[in-house]
Structures are given as C-alpha cells and as structure tokens.
C-alpha cells in the first residue's frame, strides 16, 4: 500500500514539474535564474556583494521569451552566459539596481536594468526578482523581465520634444526682443538724424548767411553722410517692421504694368544718370490684388539693383506676362551678373556679395531680403538666373 502511495506522489510531482516547465516555456515574460558559482555570503558589505554578483553570476535557466529579448532563438542558446556579458558592470543604473535588490531583503519589484543584446544594442528591462537563500548564503536568484526599450525610447523622444518646444519658445521670444529693440533704436535714431538733415539743409540754403566755397564743400560731405545714415536707419526700421508678426498689407486691385511704369518713372533720375535704357518686351494688361506701395517699392528695388550692378549705358528689359493663376514679372539687366553659388545668399538679411561694382555702389545688403519677404507675404515668389559678366534676370510671380 505504502509503495503505491509513494509512486502516486511521485507521479504528482512529475506532473507538477511538467506544468511548471510548460508555464515557463509559454510565458510571454522573460523568466530566468541566475546561479552563483560561489554562493554569496550574507555578511559581506553591500559593495562587495555587488562585485560578487557580477563576478560569480551566470545564467542557469532562461525561457525562450527571455532569449528573444536578447536576440537569441531559444533560452538554451543563452545558458551559461555570465551576468557581466548581459549587464554592463560599470553602469551606475545596474549598480543601483543590484544595490536596491541586496538592501531590500534580496527581493525587488519592477526595477529597470540596462543590458546589451546579442548585437551590442542597448536594451532596457523591467525586472522582478527574488533570491534563494541556503544557510548563510544566496545561491541563486529567480526573476522575470519585460522589455521596456521601446517605451523608454518613446519617453526619451517625448522629453526631447518637450525640451525642443521650450527652446523654440525661448528663441522666438529672444527674436521678438531683438526685433523690438531694433525697431525702438532705429525709431529713436531717426528723429535726431532727420533734424541734422534739416539744419544742414538750412545752412546750405544760406539761411544763416552766405557760405564760403570750403564751408559749402564740408557741409555737402556732412549732408551726404547724414543721408547714408538715414538710409541705414530706415532699412533697419523696415526690417524690424517686416519681421514683426504685425506687418499688415493693404491690398487693392492694381494693374501691374501701370505699377511698373510708375516705379520706372520714380527712378527716372537714377536711370537717366546711368544712361540706362528700359525696354518693355511684353506687357500684358493684368490686375492683381496687392499692397500698391509695398510692391512698387519692391519693383523700384529690383530696377535700382539692375541699374546699380550694370555699367553705364546698359539695357534693362521688363516683361509682364499673365499666366493662368499668376502674373510673371521679369526684370533683366546686362550687368556684372551673379555666381550660381550666391543665388540663395543674395536674399539673406544684410548680405552683400562682392562683384566688380560692389565697391563703387552703395548698399547694405538689405534690399533683396526685404523684397523677398514682401513678395512672400503676398503669396508670391522671387527667383534669379544669371550669367556672370553677361547679366541677371529676377523673376517675380504674384498670384492673380
Ligand atoms: P545691396 O544692393 O545693398 O548690396 P541687395 O539685397 O539689394 O543689397 O543685394 C544683395 C546682393 O545681390 C548685392 O550685394 C549684389 O551682389 C547682388 N545683386 C543684387 N541685384 C543684382 C543685379 N541685378 N546684378 C548683380 N548682382 C546683384
């Protein structure tokens, strides 16, 4: 009778073992057991215990789910791996993980470790573990783990994203402060500079009595310098205005050809002095909804540049062609031209590009930046093509 009951409990035990093995095999969580090839004495100081674990720990059991987390096909392939092969021993996160386990009565729940997979890639696992103590030593540690690498990456991305947003906000604020400063400074500078112009003008018109030739010569120099100064102040003010979010266009329906003719007429003296000849190649009768003053200034800027960067007696060709949804305006010159590598740079703020004439013509590299901003604000575009020493064509497209 006794023999029969022994064999029954033996069978029960076998079944229990099988059920346990099946559970471990089929679990989606990683299940492992690290043995210590030299049992860990409980009375060591914690730091020595940590070193001991790294030195003597090796993988004695691992299910397939765990193996997959490290890039292996099956648990069997991993058996015998040293703890340090999987878990860098110099990583503070891992040292603190083991310290928490040892100081917490040899058990731990849901703590992250930093590990390395078969391909040398970083992995992060959330672990729960408990030690088996025999006598005065820990002999093995059982545990489960979940792969939280992707989750951690998402957390890191979210954090980086948040930091970027904060940085962007700070930069936008900084930029606004700079724009406000430029606007305020140029505004404050304009009033006294204009007063200087006014009083030099009065002197030159002999309001304070007749002037000698030398006095007139020196005043003319002062007048010209003051003009340049006012020009720069006005450009700074215009930059601050166009860069501010509050810049508003006042749009009306305008005939583009008429606007160009008016721009040419305003530039009459400059063109005349330069003996530049304007040719109207093609002039479609087309209307657009634009801010008349701003677009006219943009045209004046382009025509002035065409004149400035050409030798006297050059030809400027203007073309206005209506397309289905937009009007195309081309202003071509026969001047010094622009290298292809500088096409983008010439539209940048306060950027001048050296050419054969840039030493003799005035400018502060502001014009094309402003022109591009104005045209973009209208929903249009501007581009350039050029042949060095032969000439350039600036093409503006404005929506109808
Ligand atoms: P600025 O004329 O004050 O230098 P712009 O912004 O109007 O400033 O022009 C930027 C640069 O583009 C100029 O320094 C010049 O090198 C180049 N550029 C502009 N228009 C022409 C043109 N029609 N022909 C040749 N170069 C030009």
């Amino acid at each position: 009778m006794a023999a029969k009951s022994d064999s029954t409990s033996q069978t029960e035990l076998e079944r229990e073992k099988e059920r346990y093995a099946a559970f471990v095999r089929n679990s989606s969580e990683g299940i492992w057991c690290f043995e210590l090839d030299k049992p860990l004495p409980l009375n060591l100081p914690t730091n020595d215990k940590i070193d001991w674990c790294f030195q003597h720990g090796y993988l004695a059991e691992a299910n397939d789910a765990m193996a997959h987390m490290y890039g292996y096909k099956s648990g069997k392939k991993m058996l015998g791996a040293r703890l340090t092969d999987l878990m860098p021993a110099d990583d503070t996160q891992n040292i603190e993980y083991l310290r928490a386990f040892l100081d917490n009565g040899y058990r731990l729940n849901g703590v992250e470790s930093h590990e390395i997979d078969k391909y040398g890639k970083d992995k992060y696992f959330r672990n729960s573990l408990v030690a088996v103590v025999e006598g005065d030593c820990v002999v093995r540690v059982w545990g489960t783990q979940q792969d939280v690498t992707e989750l951690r990456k998402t957390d890191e991305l979210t954090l980086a994203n948040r930091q970027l947003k904060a940085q962007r906000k700070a930069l936008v604020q900084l930029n606004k402060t700079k724009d406000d400063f430029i606007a305020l400074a140029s505004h404050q500078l304009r009033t006294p500079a204009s007063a200087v112009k006014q009083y030099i003008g009065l002197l030159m018109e002999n309001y304070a009595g007749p002037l000698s030739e030398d006095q007139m010569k020196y005043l003319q120099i002062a007048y010209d310098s003051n003009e340049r100064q006012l020009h720069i102040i006005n450009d700074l003010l215009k930059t601050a205005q166009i860069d501010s979010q509050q810049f508003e266009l006042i749009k009306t329906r305008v005939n583009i050809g008429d606007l160009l003719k008016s721009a040419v007429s305003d530039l009459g003296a400059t063109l005349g002095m330069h003996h530049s000849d304007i040719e109207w190649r093609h002039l479609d009768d087309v209307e657009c909804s634009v801010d008349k003053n701003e677009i006219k200034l943009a045209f004046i800027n382009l025509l002035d540049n065409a004149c400035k960067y050409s030798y006297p007696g050059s030809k400027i060709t203007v073309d206005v062609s209506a397309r289905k949804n937009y009007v195309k305006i081309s202003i071509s010159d026969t001047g010094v031209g622009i290298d292809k590598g500088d096409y983008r740079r010439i539209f940048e703020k306060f950027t001048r590009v050296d050419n054969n004439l840039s030493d003799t013509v005035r400018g502060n590299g502001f014009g094309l930046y402003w022109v591009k901003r104005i045209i973009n604000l209208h929903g249009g575009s501007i581009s350039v093509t050029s042949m060095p020493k032969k000439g350039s064509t600036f093409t503006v497209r404005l929506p109808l």
Side-chain angles (χ1 to χ4, degrees):
M1 264 316 264
K4 196 170 179 202
S5 122
D6 271 0
S7 77
T8 314
S9 61
Q10 190 65 27
T11 324
E12 264 308 305
L13 208 63
E14 289 297 321
R15 279 209 196 113
E16 190 64 27
K17 258 180 147 180
E18 260 172 44
R19 272 205 294 274
Y20 157 76
F23 167 76
V24 169
R25 230 183 4 256
N26 298 325
S27 168
S28 61
E29 283 206 343
I31 299 180
W32 48 260
C33 172
F34 274 91
E35 295 264 356
L36 291 150
D37 55 19
K38 266 192 183 174
L40 167 69
L42 295 181
N43 57 1
L44 283 182
T46 307
N47 281 345
D48 293 348
K49 282 186 195 159
I50 294 171
D51 289 345
W52 192 288
C53 290
F54 279 128
Q55 230 177 322
H56 298 290
Y58 73 93
L59 191 62
E61 300 257 4
N63 67 352
D64 291 350
M66 171 178 180
H68 297 159
M69 293 180 197
Y70 293 88
Y72 292 94
K73 275 214 170 87
S74 71
K76 274 193 196 129
K77 298 253 182 227
M78 288 189 76
L79 296 186
R82 308 299 300 182
L83 179 59
T84 45
D85 293 341
L86 307 175
M87 217 180 169
D90 53 357
D91 187 307
T92 24
Q93 180 175 355
N94 291 337
I95 294 170
E96 290 318 308
Y97 158 65
L98 282 183
R99 188 187 306 284
F101 162 67
L102 297 165
D103 290 347
N104 196 44
Y106 305 100
R107 58 176 62 241
L108 205 56
N109 243 333
V111 176
E112 254 181 51
S113 59
H114 168 215
E115 315 213 7
I116 305 291
D117 74 2
K118 185 180 165 187
Y119 309 103
K121 281 201 191 130
D122 290 317
K123 301 287 280 188
Y124 295 90
F125 301 129
R126 190 168 295 145
N127 307 276
S128 295
L129 47 154
V130 59
V132 177
V133 178
E134 285 176 6
D136 290 338
C137 292
V138 171
V139 288
R140 70 185 62 87
V141 182
W142 280 98
T144 60
Q145 68 185 41
Q146 285 171 308
D147 192 342
V148 290
T149 312
E150 288 308 314
L151 210 68
R152 195 181 159 114
K153 272 190 203 155
T154 317
D155 285 353
E156 277 169 7
L157 274 179
T158 313
L159 187 70
N161 210 6
R162 214 174 291 149
Q163 281 168 344
L164 269 179
K165 272 191 187 151
Q167 278 169 0
R168 193 177 171 276
K169 205 171 156 195
L171 280 176
V172 168
Q173 182 55 41
L174 203 67
N175 212 22
K176 189 178 173 306
T177 312
K178 180 212 70 185
D179 288 344
D180 290 350
F181 170 73
I182 293 177
L184 187 77
S186 38
H187 197 76
Q188 301 281 3
L189 284 170
R190 197 160 62 161
T191 316
S194 302
V196 170
K197 180 183 166 119
Q198 209 180 340
Y199 283 100
I200 296 179
L202 287 176
L203 285 176
M204 289 173 82
E205 282 173 26
N206 295 326
Y207 271 84
L211 299 176
S212 72
E213 215 172 289
D214 273 353
Q215 284 169 333
M216 191 61 108
K217 196 170 87 191
Y218 297 145
L219 275 178
Q220 185 64 51
I221 296 171
Y223 188 89
D224 290 347
S225 296
N226 173 257
E227 274 277 273
R228 272 210 303 281
Q229 193 183 18
L230 273 168
H231 217 86
I232 295 170
I233 292 170
N234 281 336
D235 281 355
L236 278 172
L237 206 58
K238 279 168 80 182
T239 319
Q241 279 167 353
I242 197 119
D243 284 347
S244 80
Q245 304 300 316
Q246 293 109 36
F247 192 84
E248 266 184 40
L249 299 172
I250 303 160
K251 287 189 186 175
T252 49
R253 298 294 295 171
V254 179
N255 183 296
I256 294 298
D258 289 349
L259 199 61
L260 268 159
K261 280 186 191 155
S262 161
V264 169
S265 147
D266 282 12
L267 258 185
T270 314
L271 294 169
M273 254 168 26
H274 211 255
H275 309 289
S276 294
D277 194 22
I278 296 269
E279 184 188 311
W280 297 90
R281 184 179 293 159
H282 185 245
L283 191 60
D284 272 344
D285 188 18
V286 56
E287 275 195 357
C288 265
S289 185
V290 295
D291 187 315
K292 195 170 149 184
N293 294 333
E294 304 298 343
I295 290 293
K296 182 171 157 184
L297 275 178
F299 290 156
I300 289 179
N301 238 297
L302 294 174
L303 289 162
D304 190 37
N305 275 353
C307 189
K308 261 185 358 186
Y309 296 110
S310 301
Y311 293 101
S314 62
K315 191 166 83 178
I316 299 171
T317 309
V318 183
D319 184 303
V320 180
S321 303
R323 299 282 197 265
K324 199 172 162 207
N325 303 320
Y326 63 93
V327 53
K328 182 175 151 216
I329 303 118
S330 306
I331 296 173
S332 309
D333 61 58
T334 50
V336 290
I338 304 160
D339 283 334
K340 207 170 179 179
D342 291 323
Y343 285 1
R344 187 191 284 262
R345 240 159 53 82
I346 57 171
F347 293 103
E348 286 170 10
K349 204 189 289 187
F350 294 113
T351 302
R352 295 206 80 197
V353 172
D354 280 342
N355 57 40
N356 287 344
L357 286 172
S358 47
D359 281 346
T360 49
V361 295
R362 287 212 185 119
N364 50 31
F366 163 76
L368 285 181
Y369 169 74
W370 182 84
V371 170
K372 186 171 194 280
R373 291 279 288 143
I374 280 293
I375 288 172
N376 288 164
L377 280 177
H378 279 82
S381 66
I382 179 166
S383 58
V384 62
T385 50
S386 181
M387 286 271 278
K389 297 200 180 111
K390 293 254 187 290
S392 314
T393 298
F394 283 83
T395 305
V396 173
R397 287 178 175 81
L398 287 169
L400 289 181

